[in-house]
Amino acid sequence: MKNIHIGSLIKQRVEELNIDMKRIVSFFKNLSEKEITDHYKKKSIDTEHLLRWSKLLEYDFFRIYTQHIILFAPVGKTVSKTTTTPSSLPNYRKNVYTKEIIDFVLDLYTKENKKIQEISNEYNIPKNTINNWIKKYL
């Protein structure tokens, strides 16, 4: 989760679904077979293409980045002008944790024997939240 190579994840999903190259080329229309295989080698790709891949493969690749932000972006450690400046963009709550995030944190606690305080400090997740997950899911 920390180092994202989106191309390899797309390739993995294509292989899981066993999607034929002809179907992919047909879906993208403006990309050649070589350009498609080049996507598999890229660490990042254009968001328009990522959206198309998400639709074709029926998988939300953007969620990978969202989970990365939830786990690795510092909360409250920096002062940002955007927090005080109103925006017309939608405001999403950062503390909405997905099941994958919860499972990841619980694995850290159970399998890697990390202490709640360590997890809380490293990922900026409140200790109370982690304790609630432990009570609910373990």
Side-chain angles (χ1 to χ4, degrees), residues 74-127:
V75 177
K77 291 185 179 180
T78 60
V79 177
S80 173
K81 290 182 181 181
T82 58
T83 58
T84 57
T85 307
S87 174
S88 59
L89 295 173
N91 186 13
Y92 297 106
R93 290 180 27 196
K94 186 177 188 310
N95 60 350
V96 178
Y97 300 101
T98 64
K99 180 68 175 138
E100 291 86 359
I101 298 273
I102 295 169
D103 290 343
F104 174 76
V105 170
L106 292 176
D107 281 349
L108 290 174
Y109 178 74
T110 58
K111 294 178 183 171
E112 296 186 27
N113 295 320
K114 280 199 168 189
K115 294 181 179 168
I116 294 171
Q117 183 66 50
E118 292 175 302
I119 297 168
S120 178
N121 291 343
E122 189 171 345
Y123 298 104
N124 299 307
I125 299 172
K127 289 186 287 186

Side-chain angles (χ1 to χ4, degrees), residues 37-83:
T37 55
D38 285 346
H39 276 187
Y40 300 155
K41 299 172 190 168
K42 293 183 178 180
K43 184 169 172 51
S44 63
I45 63 172
D46 180 87
T47 54
E48 185 177 332
H49 288 152
L50 189 59
L51 181 60
R52 304 269 307 156
W53 278 114
S54 293
K55 290 176 182 179
L56 174 66
L57 302 176
E58 298 176 356
Y59 185 86
D60 185 359
F61 288 100
F62 293 96
R63 184 166 294 215
I64 295 167
Y65 293 103
T66 303
Q67 291 175 350
H68 177 89
I69 290 168
I70 290 170
L71 285 176
F72 299 106
V75 177
K77 291 185 179 180
T78 60
V79 177
S80 173
K81 290 182 181 181
T82 58
T83 58

